[in-house]
Amino acid sequence: MALNLLSPAEIKAISFLDSTKSTHLPKLPGGFALRRKDCKTVVGRIQCSAAAQTPPPAWPGRAVPETSRRTWDGPKPISIVGSTGSIGTQTLDIVAENPDKFRIVALAAGSNVALLVDQVKRFKPQLVAVRNESLVNELNEALADLEEKPEIIPGEQGVIEVARHPDAVTVVTGIVGCAGLKPTVAAIEAGKDIALANKETLIAGGPFVLPLAHKHNVKILPADSEHSAIFQCIQGLPEGALRRIILTASGGSFRDWPVEKLKEVKVADALKHPNWNMGKKITVDSATLFNKGLEVIEAHYLFGAEYDNIEIVIHPQSIIHSMIETQDSSVLAQLGWPDMRLPILYTMSWPERIYCSEVTWPRLDLCKLGSLTFKAPDNVKYPSMDLAYAAGRAGGTMTGVLSAANEKAVELFISEKISYLDIFKIVELTCAKHRAELVASPSLDEIIHYDLWARDYAATLQSSSSSIAAFA
């Protein structure tokens, strides 16, 4: 079951591309035929030609507010897609604390009717959607006594209507998975700014979503803590000033484990994050470092940095949320206690900064904290990094396939149907299989199709011992 991946030097500047003209280059044991990209040196940094036409980044290395931005009267109108999830509930906490700054006009949830009812009664939205259509009668009955009853639209269409509500200025996209793609696209087409918490929007949908956002002059504001840190650091930079992005990672459950011990990993081990309690999926992603590999892809789409200029650093304290390096070698960082409310708040208030009470937003005390430490990630312990960089360089539908295959593999691991090391093997085998069908500039339907295909294909590998054995 031992992994036999290429060294970091061999992995550098490779992608999942047609290798028929480069048969002399090495192959990953999972079946990836690779070829090196056409690279050139530009002003002291490396730039590589893209596998497909690179979509325009959301923020090309700098963030400058436009003087002609949309204005509104009173508190800023907000819609939330995924209101009963972690992102949605934290967003509503922010709204509750700042009623003079924000108001809720529409809410969409999946199936947690009880919590949705409480949210409707408290925040009084004009429109409500429940994705699970079978629960619409229960929702109607629970809200029957309200004097000001909101409009209720069930199913996916209801979620889409919440996303493009005419009064909303910003839409918080907290829904998980590719289910968040269609509502996000609808919001962009309606001219709404996106407070982005749905990773598939860019990791899978970047080649389609980014040109659409530019067409409609829509801003995509990152709610993920690492990308928010980068976004905050690039405020007001002159054009061309960004040189490097440095993503910080906690290192997850196995940051202090020797590589040789990973073959013994149990599910309970992977779920013991050293810093905080999170959901099972994200905790496993933190252990494998797939979460950081996916964030590398997202950073590329958000800020336009080449993959050679995006680095990962293990930072156990999780106080520096990420950093940038400018052309003159200055390094800028954003620091704070690990609290998702801060990046969510900034997506809602940008370019403004809103005062936060010390009671609910503890201020960072560096003297009390004591010290911050860093170390380079181990490519052998975390082969997910090499897989993510290679998928990112391939572009197109490959990044969505990588994400979907990982999601399915993690699900299989948590269900104890595969081993921990099999997560990496299944993801690589799925990406290798997809290489022949990679779509460089996919449509929305193609993005969703290959997301579903990757999950189905990854599931077949867990029962195919010969495929995984051949990988080892």
Side-chain angles (χ1 to χ4, degrees):
M1 299 275 288
L3 293 172
N4 184 28
L5 294 173
L6 299 178
S7 70
E10 291 173 308
I11 286 291
K12 189 174 179 64
I14 59 177
S15 64
F16 306 122
L17 301 173
D18 182 9
S19 61
T20 54
K21 297 181 181 179
S22 305
T23 55
H24 62 286
L25 290 174
K27 295 183 179 181
L28 285 176
F32 283 152
L34 305 165
R35 72 171 170 83
R36 299 201 180 277
K37 300 173 72 62
D38 179 21
C39 298
K40 58 182 178 179
T41 302
V42 179
V43 195
R45 61 184 186 271
I46 299 296
Q47 292 186 330
C48 294
S49 60
Q53 183 177 359
T54 303
W59 301 95
R62 63 198 297 256
V64 179
E66 297 173 356
T67 56
S68 59
R69 296 298 294 160
R70 179 180 173 185
T71 59
W72 56 90
D73 294 327
K76 188 177 186 178
I78 304 288
S79 284
I80 304 177
V81 177
S83 68
T84 57
S86 174
I87 296 297
T89 54
Q90 290 180 87
T91 302
L92 290 173
D93 287 344
I94 293 168
V95 173
E97 189 169 334
N98 298 278
D100 59 324
K101 303 292 184 183
F102 310 108
R103 66 183 176 92
I104 297 298
V105 296
L107 296 174
S111 57
N112 191 340
V113 170
L115 181 53
L116 179 59
V117 168
D118 289 342
Q119 293 174 346
V120 170
K121 290 179 178 179
R122 184 175 186 184
F123 295 97
K124 299 178 173 57
Q126 302 165 28
L127 175 65
V128 176
V130 57
R131 188 176 183 86
N132 187 338
E133 296 188 42
S134 66
L135 299 174
V136 69
N137 289 335
E138 180 182 342
L139 179 61
N140 270 307
E141 291 173 6
L143 298 176
D145 296 335
L146 285 184
E147 291 185 9
E148 299 180 18
K149 186 178 177 182
E151 180 182 4
I152 298 174
I153 304 177
E156 183 179 58
Q157 188 59 40
V159 179
I160 289 173
E161 294 305 326
V162 165
R164 64 186 182 195
H165 190 281
D167 290 349
V169 171
T170 296
V171 179
V172 179
T173 59
I175 195 169
V176 176
C178 268
L181 267 175
K182 288 185 178 179
T184 303
V185 167
I188 291 171
E189 290 176 338
K192 314 299 180 184
D193 286 342
I194 306 298
L196 184 66
N198 172 271
K199 64 182 177 61
E200 280 77 13
T201 296
L202 293 183
I203 293 169
F208 176 83
V209 168
L210 288 170
L212 190 69
H214 279 269
K215 175 183 176 181
H216 293 279
N217 194 29
V218 161
K219 300 303 181 187
I220 297 179
L221 303 149
D224 195 28
S225 60
E226 291 81 358
H227 300 106
S228 176
I230 298 163
F231 181 60
Q232 293 180 60
C233 289
I234 66 171
Q235 298 298 310
L237 284 185
E239 188 173 354
L242 181 64
R243 183 176 184 178
R244 180 171 55 127
I245 287 173
I246 306 166
L247 291 166
T248 54
S250 69
S253 307
F254 307 127
R255 69 187 182 202
D256 299 320
W257 283 42
V259 173
E260 297 76 18
K261 194 179 176 183
L262 294 181
K263 62 180 181 292
E264 304 170 9
V265 166
K266 305 299 182 187
V267 174
D269 299 322
L271 296 179
K272 293 177 183 176
H273 195 284
N275 290 9
W276 47 70
N277 293 319
M278 302 181 293
K280 291 183 178 180
K281 201 276 182 176
I282 186 60
T283 304
V284 174
D285 278 351
S286 181
T288 62
L289 224 67
F290 259 114
N291 68 326
K292 210 55 53 176
L294 294 172
E295 287 172 14
V296 166
I297 295 168
E298 201 168 354
H300 167 75
Y301 281 131
L302 277 168
F303 308 111
E306 295 288 344
Y307 285 101
D308 287 329
N309 299 328
I310 306 174
E311 298 181 11
I312 298 172
V313 173
I314 302 296
H315 170 48
Q317 294 83 13
S318 299
I319 294 298
I320 294 180
H321 300 302
S322 277
M323 298 170 270
I324 67 164
E325 181 185 14
T326 59
Q327 294 292 349
D328 59 5
S329 78
S330 292
V331 175
L332 310 180
Q334 187 265 328
L335 288 72
W337 297 118
D339 187 339
M340 276 300 297
R341 293 177 304 165
L342 179 57
I344 295 170
L345 173 63
Y346 197 54
T347 66
M348 297 164 64
S349 67
W350 182 84
E352 305 299 328
R353 294 278 187 175
I354 292 179
Y355 173 80
C356 294
S357 164
E358 276 190 68
V359 176
T360 54
W361 302 73
R363 296 166 72 180
L364 183 65
D365 186 334
L366 289 175
C367 294
K368 185 180 295 184
L369 183 66
S371 62
L372 303 175
T373 60
F374 309 88
K375 65 179 180 179
D378 185 338
N379 287 64
V380 177
K381 182 184 289 187
Y382 303 114
S384 50
M385 294 189 298
D386 295 333
L387 295 173
Y389 275 93
R393 290 185 170 105
T397 49
M398 187 63 80
T399 51
V401 165
L402 176 93
S403 177
N406 172 65
E407 193 166 325
K408 187 62 182 180
V410 170
E411 177 188 318
L412 295 171
F413 168 66
I414 292 172
S415 301
E416 300 185 343
K417 294 178 180 177
I418 63 171
S419 75
Y420 174 77
L421 294 181
D422 285 341
I423 295 173
F424 306 103
K425 301 170 187 178
I426 284 177
V427 172
E428 184 164 346
L429 287 166
T430 304
C431 289
K433 183 70 174 178
H434 178 59
R435 191 193 60 178
E437 296 186 20
L438 187 151
V439 181
S441 299
S443 66
L444 182 60
D445 287 342
E446 286 170 324
I447 290 166
I448 294 172
H449 166 77
Y450 282 111
D451 174 271
L452 297 172
W453 171 86
R455 295 169 195 273
D456 290 343
Y457 186 78
T460 67
L461 294 175
Q462 60 111 0
S463 60
S464 176
S465 57
S466 60
S467 294
I468 293 182
F471 183 102

